[in-house]
Amino acid sequence: MSLTRRTVLTAAAAAAAAPAIAPVGTAQATGPGGTLAAESVAESLPAAGSDAQHRFDLRAEPVDLFGKEIRLTQGRVHQQVAFDPVTGLAYVTQVISDGRQLADEPAPVPGGERDRRGDLCVNEVAPDGTVRAVMYLRSVGHGGGLGVEHVDGRPWLWLETDADPVTSGFAHGKRIGRVAFAPDAVVDAGSDRIEVFDPVPEHSAVTPSLDVVHGRIGVRTGTSGVGEYRVYDLDAFKRRVFTPLYRFPALYRTQSWCLYGDLVHQNEGAAYGVDNPRPGNSWWNVYDVTTGQMIERRFNATALDLSHRETESLTVRQTPDGPQLVFGFATQEPGPRRMALYGITSTTDGTGDHVPWTNLDYDSTLYTPNSGNYVPQYRQQGNRIDLHLRLSRADGTPWTNGEKILTLPPHIRPNRTQGMVGQVSGAGVSDSLTVRWEVLTDGSLVLFDQRKLTGWIGLDAGFFTS
């Protein structure tokens, strides 16, 4: 079934009622250029819900929010998106383009310099997908976290700030900043226009996610698979009381993430390429913040036909049908990048949900699973990795002692060799029905048995990455 085409005009009328969303100020209804009035938005909404366990059904068919790929003001990949809870306008971060010269700059600035300093553009996007206004923030970070609250008639942005310049690659902010969106403004980190919060002084890569519905703010530390999530009460955070309600480790490489109630949604994935052929490697990971456990890991099969499909933004906003999980891909390569956004409103009660099994790569010319139920697979819960397989040699020859069966992906390799006990077929075996396995630090999964067995061998066991 093709994706339903839905414009952001429908979604813009879906913002949350001002009293429920903006507890720290009085939301106003004004806004130039066709911004939806707050009163009309509020009247279009059902009563705001506050279910902290609200669970999106990641198996549902998403809707295409714009009905097209959107061109923003910079030619760079968009990083994160967030929505004003009153007007419904979208705000999108990008690193400033190569060769762009701002009003107070004496000459154009190379893109690599923007990367190393952490210079961002924030696009304000109208319901038809056009950019209404932009704001520039220099030396703040990479733009991977973004939240919007509406206070006293203005959108206030929450994002990373105070990035230390790097010699190569991308600079990331080490603190959280709050700044009023102002069209055409150029604001530098350290300006008194940015209110600064420093919840984790010992870290250098910090991104926020704002959950105004439940009065919380989340903070993620770490730029890749090694990191941590912390969840705070928003009012306490504003008073600089940085005692987290919850904290737990982050798993997998992260492109974007968002907090909503008691759940953190995280996405991962890279663009199509030689090392990542279609259908790609875009995954959702869902954590229960009250336990720190990953409760769902699911492949994202949305818009597989995009010519360039790079997993990027992830957020939650309010709609007339309830909260909506919004996620996006950066598209178009080569040339100026574009943004495609999709949304899921359908829910699930989570009954029977668990961290699903993920297939492992193996040489199918050498090994044959006993059935589709015994294809090599793994699942990860914290630092525990469970493995599952039952294989026969395709040519019927005996298994060899020390035979390497497959290689585990980097993110689930242990920091030391670990042993496990597996099974063998009972046919023709008169002694022990077990075999020894080892998983090595380079990811090798190795079988040890000197009996030259010819039946199937199996493994239903686990190990710890650390």
Side-chain angles (χ1 to χ4, degrees):
M1 182 181 297
S2 62
L3 291 173
T4 305
R5 296 294 188 182
R6 178 184 293 180
T7 68
V8 175
L9 182 59
T10 302
I21 298 300
V24 295
T26 303
Q28 303 297 314
T30 58
T35 302
L36 294 178
E39 288 88 356
S40 64
V41 172
E43 290 170 1
S44 72
L45 290 171
S50 59
D51 179 9
Q53 289 291 339
H54 188 96
R55 184 80 175 272
F56 296 101
D57 187 354
L58 302 180
R59 301 163 298 183
E61 180 188 14
V63 294
D64 183 340
L65 297 188
F66 288 103
K68 58 184 177 181
E69 299 169 34
I70 300 301
R71 173 73 189 275
L72 301 170
T73 58
Q74 312 301 301
R76 310 293 294 276
V77 168
H78 84 282
Q79 298 296 323
Q80 181 61 301
V81 63
F83 292 83
D84 186 311
V86 171
T87 66
L89 293 172
Y91 293 83
V92 188
T93 57
Q94 293 177 287
V95 176
I96 299 174
S97 287
D98 178 45
R100 189 65 53 92
Q101 181 179 358
L102 303 186
D104 63 347
E105 294 173 341
V109 178
E113 182 65 18
R114 300 291 190 190
D115 295 342
R116 292 189 291 271
R117 294 192 322 209
D119 293 354
L120 294 183
C121 171
V122 181
N123 302 261
E124 182 183 72
V125 182
D128 64 357
T130 59
V131 177
R132 291 167 30 107
V134 296
M135 181 179 184
Y136 298 98
L137 297 162
R138 290 183 299 214
S139 298
V140 294
H142 195 53
L146 183 65
V148 182
E149 62 175 343
H150 196 103
V151 180
D152 295 331
R154 303 181 69 183
W156 288 76
L157 310 177
W158 289 78
L159 72 174
E160 62 191 289
T161 191
D162 295 352
D164 290 329
V166 295
T167 56
S168 63
F170 298 101
H172 295 270
K174 59 187 178 184
R175 300 183 179 93
I176 304 299
R178 179 178 181 265
V179 59
F181 181 85
D184 300 322
V186 179
V187 179
D188 291 298
S191 166
D192 59 8
R193 296 177 63 172
I194 302 178
E195 185 179 7
V196 177
F197 304 86
D198 193 10
V200 280
E202 70 274 19
H203 290 274
S204 60
V206 181
T207 55
S209 178
L210 198 64
D211 178 7
V212 291
V213 171
H214 300 96
R216 291 176 175 177
I217 184 171
V219 172
R220 187 188 192 279
T221 62
T223 57
S224 58
V226 179
E228 184 180 69
Y229 291 108
R230 304 185 186 198
V231 179
Y232 303 85
D233 175 83
L234 181 57
D235 287 339
F237 192 92
K238 289 180 177 180
R239 298 193 305 270
R240 292 175 173 76
V241 177
F242 300 132
T243 303
L245 303 172
Y246 309 101
R247 58 186 295 184
F248 55 95
L251 307 176
Y252 299 101
R253 183 177 183 273
T254 302
Q255 288 287 18
S256 291
W257 69 281
C258 64
L259 169 70
Y260 189 75
D262 285 342
L263 301 179
V264 158
H265 289 76
Q266 166 193 317
N267 63 18
E268 59 171 306
Y272 292 144
V274 175
D275 297 328
N276 183 36
R278 297 173 187 268
N281 60 359
S282 185
W283 290 84
W284 280 301
N285 303 309
V286 184
Y287 301 83
D288 182 334
V289 305
T290 66
T291 64
Q293 296 297 308
M294 183 184 293
I295 59 173
E296 186 172 6
R297 176 170 165 81
R298 190 170 298 277
F299 182 73
N300 185 348
T302 305
L304 295 177
D305 58 345
L306 288 172
S307 59
H308 181 88
R309 179 180 180 268
E310 185 173 353
T311 306
E312 291 296 345
S313 50
L314 186 65
T315 191
V316 174
R317 64 167 178 182
Q318 301 298 305
T319 80
D321 297 324
Q324 183 179 62
L325 184 70
V326 176
F327 59 98
F329 299 101
T331 70
Q332 302 294 323
E333 171 70 6
R337 301 300 183 89
R338 296 176 185 264
M339 175 181 73
L341 290 185
Y342 304 88
I344 293 175
T345 308
S346 301
T347 61
T348 176
D349 62 7
T351 302
D353 281 351
H354 60 278
V355 178
W357 292 91
T358 299
N359 287 350
L360 289 164
D361 291 331
Y362 68 99
D363 191 338
S364 59
T365 65
L366 293 178
Y367 308 119
T368 302
N370 280 19
S371 72
N373 293 325
Y374 293 103
V375 172
Q377 295 178 318
Y378 80 92
R379 68 178 179 184
Q380 179 176 9
Q381 300 185 77
N383 68 342
R384 163 83 181 194
I385 309 298
D386 293 312
L387 299 177
H388 168 73
L389 60 86
R390 190 172 292 182
L391 298 172
S392 300
R393 288 192 62 90
D395 60 4
T397 58
W399 296 97
T400 60
N401 187 45
E403 184 168 345
K404 177 181 173 180
I405 306 301
L406 54 82
T407 302
L408 302 177
H411 65 272
I412 62 170
R413 296 174 185 174
N415 63 1
R416 63 185 184 278
T417 297
Q418 296 194 41
M420 296 170 288
V421 175
Q423 317 88 39
V424 297
S425 166
V429 180
S430 59
D431 51 1
S432 174
L433 297 180
T434 63
V435 291
R436 183 167 66 91
W437 294 83
E438 284 188 0
V439 56
L440 311 184
T441 56
D442 65 357
S444 298
L445 182 63
V446 183
L447 171 70
F448 291 95
D449 196 278
Q450 298 177 330
R451 292 176 289 176
K452 297 183 178 180
L453 300 167
T454 57
W456 58 258
I457 50 109
L459 181 62
D460 285 284
F463 65 92
F464 294 94
T465 56
S466 61

